[in-house]
Amino acid sequence: MRGQGLRSTRVREERLGALVGAAHPLAAQDRLTPADLRPYPLLSIDQTMSSWNTWVTSYLADAGLEPTWTREVTFGLSTGSDVLSDQRTVLLTLESVSRDYLDGLVWRPMTPVRMVPWYLTYRVDDAADNPVVATVLRVVERLAIDQGWRPAID
């Protein structure tokens, strides 16, 4: 939860990994450690859109590392994939980003395995007062259960 009147519901967890260009030196490894990332700049995500950079900074600090961020800032993978084509930059991201349609990019899992939770955050008043929001919340919960992302809450 990020603010007053907000509630978050856990939807799923995904493995953390690194997305790099196919010719990047890290692409040849099966798994990566935080120390493997040290020589490479990390693609920065726009701080106004996400708290991802803060999470990555904390994750690397646990390994005694401090990230070097790119000067370029991306709003998402579609704009960030161009930056990754430099064969030097790394994007720490979740496994679902590793779809086959990402030509020229490869995703490698981090070790030790790190699972990252996904949350859906919403205004409590909207869930109570707006039938559309309430329906979306029910659909997301059902999807998370049906996909095996999380068990049903009794």
Side-chain angles (χ1 to χ4, degrees), residues 54-71:
T54 302
W55 188 90
V56 169
T57 298
S58 176
Y59 166 72
L60 293 175
D62 289 347
L65 301 169
E66 186 174 328
T68 301
W69 296 103
T70 58
R71 296 179 100 201

Side-chain angles (χ1 to χ4, degrees), residues 69-91:
W69 296 103
T70 58
R71 296 179 100 201
E72 299 90 350
V73 175
T74 188
F75 301 105
L77 183 58
S78 58
T79 56
S81 62
D82 292 340
V83 176
L84 297 178
S85 68
D86 72 357
Q87 306 305 326
R88 210 162 144 64
T89 303
V90 174
L91 174 62

Side-chain angles (χ1 to χ4, degrees), residues 97-118:
V97 174
S98 65
R99 294 184 178 90
D100 292 339
Y101 67 83
L102 296 173
D103 291 333
L105 300 176
V106 295
W107 182 86
R108 296 294 181 249
M110 298 301 293
T111 189
V113 172
R114 181 67 176 260
M115 301 300 286
V116 180
W118 281 46

